[in-house]
Amino acid sequence: MSRFPRPFEGTWTEHYPELGTDPVTYDDSISPEFYELERRAIFKRAWLNVGRVEQLAKPGSYFTKEVAVTNASIVVVRDREGEVRAFHNVCRHRGNKLVWNDFPREETEGVARQFVCKYHGWRYGLDGALNHVQQESEFFDLDKSCYGLVPVHCEVWAGFIFVNFAHQPEQSLREFLGPMITALEGYPFGRMTERFAYRTEVHANWKLFVDAFAEFYHAPVLHAKQSRERYAAAGQKLGFEAPYYRIDGPHRLVSTAGVRNWEMGDDAVKRSEVLTRGGLFGPWDKPDLGKMPPGVNPGRCDPWGLDSFQLFPNFVILIWSQGWYLTYHYWPTSYNTHTFDGNVYFLPARTARERIAHEMTAVTFKEFALQDGNTLEATQLSLETRAVDRFHLNDQEVLLRHLHKVVGDWVDEYSFANEGQP
Amino acid sequence: MTAMLPPPFAALEPFAPTWCLATESERWRRRHVSTMADLSAFYDAVFPRLEEAIEFCNQFPLDDLPPDVTNLLQLIHSLVMVSMAVEIFGQPKTIDAADAVLDRVREPMP
């Protein structure tokens, strides 16, 4: 019996008939060959988020990003005119990595007036132009104007910086994002500059972690031991049901109904949460963010807990009703490993009390994410045995079907166009 | 020895050298090298003073906390760090997390 209304077809999955209801395979998550296809078909064609404009506070601010899945290192910089640009992080002289500190594989950031190669001192402007060549007269027919840094397509939406590694992207960033995502414009992302950043290496295919955060069916079971007993027992009895799902092009959304810790009995809430006024769902005292854009809580759920917007291929924006947001990035490093980045953003704390509520929220986020991360390696190892190759997904897991279908579609389309075979 | 905490919190001084830690990674590490007896002793001493300690820190501008108040705020952050272990898990390690790791690599200060 449903607690929330479902589409007229009766289920969310059947509302999107192209997804089917059959058992699925995870062959796309255990194959080195398929991973090589994904790199070319998806990560070298889709718009990829690499950060936010607040990371580039002023002209000359830059950061580097190692993108193993496209075999690239890039430098993202705000130029003198304030424009955000991205370049391959490769000196045009002998191919040395241009911007790095002590360790060439480590990312770095800073403020620069120009980029100087450590090897022979070639200098590049913030616009990528090659401005100075050491002992230029020793070279043969070197036209400096032809040897600027190699640009990477870079566009900004709502303060999120995206790059595209295609020679010529097939869509503009806005077209790629589509109406469900662009309707978030106006959300005060730019004001939420208090950031807690988390990173880890995960021994599982990147899609398995996207899957883990794309359904909350796991929550009452996997996270049972994160809560006071009474709360956990109620969760397991009821199970989990999301009030709203939506699919728009390659992107997905799930919303949840609200949980109001502060309205629950003392035996269901942690003692330290009562005093710090923070927890998994965020600070208990909600900041006034003004009017929300129409893209937030598009299902008009009431009560409303959060929206998890999953942007294809590897980026999640999770907006909480308590006035804060999270982002997740899943950066593949091989067919069965990836780097996970989680960022927690708040309006800057004005008082110690607000700071403590944020700390409680961030600490609790980590406790839950560790449990989510724990199952992944076990799932990867188990799938790789290939002992079982058909798996059932329920209606609360509709978004998993969609991710794997879109990945398959992009790979098929690319293979057909480039190699003449589906 | 000079006091680390503001005078009204002198009773918590024994915990200050161990638990006044500036970053989450230090607090996380401390929680995991501690026994449950260590964590409970710290929790039992600080928790009854938590509301008062938060209120005390709150009197000062967050971007200009005196050093002893910064220490007190760090002590509160440590209480937040151990709260799950003491109130829910009954062990220093996150329950059902196997060997999963998640490093905090950037955070607001203090």
Side-chain angles (χ1 to χ4, degrees), chain A residues 109 195-200 225-226 270-272 349 351-353 355 359 366-367 370-371 374, chain B residues 24 27 31 47 51 55 58 83-84 87-89 94-98 101-106 110:
Chain A
E109 62 186 19
R195 172 181 169 212
F196 298 70
Y198 293 89
R199 172 170 280 196
T200 193
K225 292 176 188 155
Q226 292 271 24
K270 295 209 305 287
R271 295 164 70 199
S272 55
T351 63
R353 186 173 281 288
R355 173 69 182 84
E359 183 70 22
K366 173 166 164 172
E367 306 274 15
L370 285 170
Q371 293 189 336
N374 150 45
Chain B
E24 187 264 2
R27 298 189 287 269
R31 169 174 139 189
F47 188 83
E51 182 59 40
E55 208 39 61
N58 219 40
S83 64
M84 278 290 232
E87 296 176 11
I88 306 288
F89 303 146
T94 305
I95 231 162
D96 294 336
V101 171
L102 189 60
D103 296 321
R104 191 190 279 187
V105 292
R106 183 184 296 267

Side-chain angles (χ1 to χ4, degrees), chain B residues 3-14:
Chain B
M4 291 177 71
L5 299 172
F9 298 92
L12 303 179
E13 284 291 340

Side-chain angles (χ1 to χ4, degrees), chain B residues 74-94:
Chain B
Q74 290 173 356
L75 201 73
I76 296 171
H77 289 338
S78 282
L79 186 90
V80 165
M81 171 57 72
V82 308
S83 64
M84 278 290 232
V86 174
E87 296 176 11
I88 306 288
F89 303 146
Q91 61 179 45
K93 222 168 98 47
T94 305

Side-chain angles (χ1 to χ4, degrees), chain A residues 184-188 191 288-294 296 300:
Chain A
L184 291 175
E185 268 163 16
Y187 187 83
R191 286 165 53 204
D288 180 13
L289 298 178
K291 196 175 169 335
M292 287 290 107
V296 174
R300 302 294 173 254

